[in-house]
Amino acid sequence: MKRYAEKKAFSMLTSIVVIVLMATVAMFVMNLSGKIVKSTVIQYQHEQAELYAKSYTEYAIMAVTGNDRSVGCMEDIDANIGSDPTNGNGYNVRIRIAYIVDGTQIDTSKCAGTRVLSTGVTTSNTPLSIIVDAYVDYKDPDNTNGPWLTVHRRTIQKI
């Protein structure tokens, strides 16, 4: 009778140790899974911001091409994408356009002086070029009080 009780107690101790080990392994797996999900979200947001920067750069080039430069310069394009970028649910897009021109292609009196650059690099074949700076700002949705993360893309385009 005594032998049977010792076997029963040993089985109980073994099962408790196995349960504790399985719980520890499950805890490590859940922790690793959470970190993988977090890094995937961060990578997704960064890639999305890069795509928005590329898309808005193309949009700015199209807008400058269609703009009447004798009336005035197109210098800024701003946009908000998403429901509320300040709470980490979207993106702020800022486009800044500068002109490299010989002075005959645009009315420089109607453009900001800081947005018209040196004329020494233009030729008769390429009288107008633009520099498009695209900034896409976004926040980490898990840390909305944290800093803004920014993706910057600079493009030089002949018009």
Side-chain angles (χ1 to χ4, degrees):
M1 190 76 147
K2 193 174 188 183
R3 242 173 148 192
Y4 178 70
E6 288 175 6
K7 284 185 178 181
K8 199 172 185 183
F10 182 74
S11 297
M12 178 68 82
L13 287 174
T14 305
S15 64
I16 290 172
V17 168
V18 168
I19 289 172
V20 168
L21 285 174
M22 288 177 61
T24 304
V25 169
M27 182 180 64
F28 285 131
V29 167
M30 294 299 284
N31 186 17
L32 183 62
S33 175
K35 287 180 181 178
I36 289 172
V37 168
K38 177 70 175 160
S39 68
T40 302
V41 167
I42 289 171
Q43 183 180 5
Y44 170 78
Q45 279 189 311
H46 183 75
E47 291 293 327
Q48 190 72 25
E50 285 183 356
L51 289 172
Y52 281 133
K54 183 176 182 180
S55 176
Y56 271 86
T57 298
E58 295 296 324
Y59 175 71
I61 292 168
M62 240 177 33
V64 167
T65 303
N67 185 38
D68 184 6
R69 290 180 293 279
S70 65
V71 175
C73 297
M74 177 168 280
E75 297 173 344
D76 299 324
I77 300 172
D78 295 326
N80 289 330
I81 302 168
S83 60
D84 188 9
T86 58
N87 288 333
N89 296 326
Y91 301 86
N92 289 330
V93 180
R94 296 174 289 132
I95 304 294
R96 304 297 176 251
I97 302 168
Y99 293 85
I100 303 173
V101 64
D102 63 0
T104 61
Q105 296 294 315
I106 62 173
D107 185 359
T108 55
S109 65
K110 296 179 181 171
C111 297
T114 58
R115 299 290 176 93
V116 178
L117 304 176
S118 172
T119 61
V121 295
T122 58
T123 65
S124 58
N125 294 334
T126 60
L128 177 65
S129 296
I130 60 171
I131 298 174
V132 180
D133 285 313
Y135 301 94
V136 181
D137 304 320
Y138 62 97
K139 282 195 172 191
D140 182 2
D142 293 336
N143 185 13
T144 57
N145 294 328
W148 285 94
L149 304 171
T150 303
V151 171
H152 175 242
R153 178 186 175 143
R154 175 170 277 184
T155 304
I156 300 174
Q157 179 69 41
K158 292 180 185 178
I159 301 293

